[in-house]
Amino acid sequence: MRLMKDKVKRKKILHIINSLDVGGAEMMLFKLISKENSQFKYEIISLSSFGKLQNNFNLKGIKVYNLNLNKSFINLFTLPLKLFLIFKKTKPEIIQGWMYHGNIVAFICKYFFSKKSVLFFNVRQSFYGYMNEKYITRILIKYNSYLSNSNFLN
């Protein structure tokens, strides 16, 4: 008689982050994912192109989707289709946004593609003042603030 091992269903967590270049949030994401935890299956959406830390994630067996939004304005127009296909494939139970851009994209993805997922926002930054941020980042900070204080998240 053959013994069958119980298959443990791992929760799927999809992290959405601006880039995988070396930075505080990126390093924290790597530390978090590097902890051996058989309860979770991780995948990452990087809003930019290939980053310096991406090989580290690949070596851990983490799938990374690069959206290349920093390469071409045209990529912005194909973004909804790319995100739809990623969510159709991954079906995450948890969506974790990282930093202002990642949080907004995570919110949009939950709202349009994955309403049953649980959504978390994450900001890791030494904040030196609102006016020290780029104009677009200031707008995103306001949106993050509004969304995190609303009933939209879960």
Side-chain angles (χ1 to χ4, degrees):
M1 187 168 131
R2 186 175 173 191
L3 294 175
M4 297 185 77
K5 293 183 180 180
D6 290 338
K7 288 191 175 183
V8 177
K9 185 175 184 296
R10 301 187 307 166
K11 285 192 183 261
K12 295 178 186 175
I13 301 177
L14 182 62
H15 295 275
I16 303 176
I17 193 163
N18 193 39
S19 79
L20 291 177
D21 282 327
V22 178
E26 296 83 357
M27 291 302 297
M28 189 53 63
L29 174 58
F30 184 70
K31 286 179 186 178
L32 177 71
I33 288 179
S34 292
K35 303 280 186 205
E36 292 298 324
N37 193 334
S38 60
Q39 292 179 312
F40 303 110
K41 179 180 183 335
Y42 303 107
E43 294 191 8
I44 299 171
I45 293 176
S46 173
L47 301 180
S48 61
S49 55
F50 189 91
K52 294 177 184 176
L53 291 175
Q54 186 160 336
N55 282 334
N56 296 14
F57 290 102
N58 292 339
L59 290 172
K60 293 272 182 193
I62 310 293
K63 173 72 177 159
V64 176
Y65 303 92
N66 296 102
L67 298 182
N68 300 314
L69 293 181
N70 59 339
K71 294 286 185 187
S72 169
F73 190 68
I74 296 295
N75 289 335
L76 192 57
F77 293 108
T78 61
L79 180 63
L81 177 60
K82 288 178 183 178
L83 289 171
F84 171 76
L85 293 173
I86 291 169
F87 272 80
K88 185 177 179 184
K89 183 178 178 181
T90 62
K91 297 181 177 104
E93 294 159 277
I94 299 169
I95 304 168
Q96 172 73 63
W98 288 79
M99 302 304 292
Y100 308 115
H101 297 77
N103 289 342
I104 297 296
V105 173
F107 170 78
I108 292 168
C109 289
K110 177 191 172 30
Y111 189 79
F112 287 105
F113 308 129
S114 191
K115 289 187 179 175
K116 292 182 181 179
S117 297
V118 177
L119 175 63
F120 294 98
F121 278 7
N122 184 4
V123 175
R124 300 186 157 273
Q125 175 186 19
S126 296
F127 191 68
Y128 296 110
Y130 184 71
M131 294 312 289
N132 293 330
E133 299 295 333
K134 296 176 188 171
Y135 178 72
I136 294 294
T137 304
R138 291 195 308 250
I139 292 171
L140 292 177
I141 289 170
K142 288 288 189 190
Y143 278 126
N144 272 254
S145 174
Y146 173 73
L147 292 173
S148 66
N149 287 309
S150 69
N151 292 325
F152 290 122
L153 292 180
N154 294 310

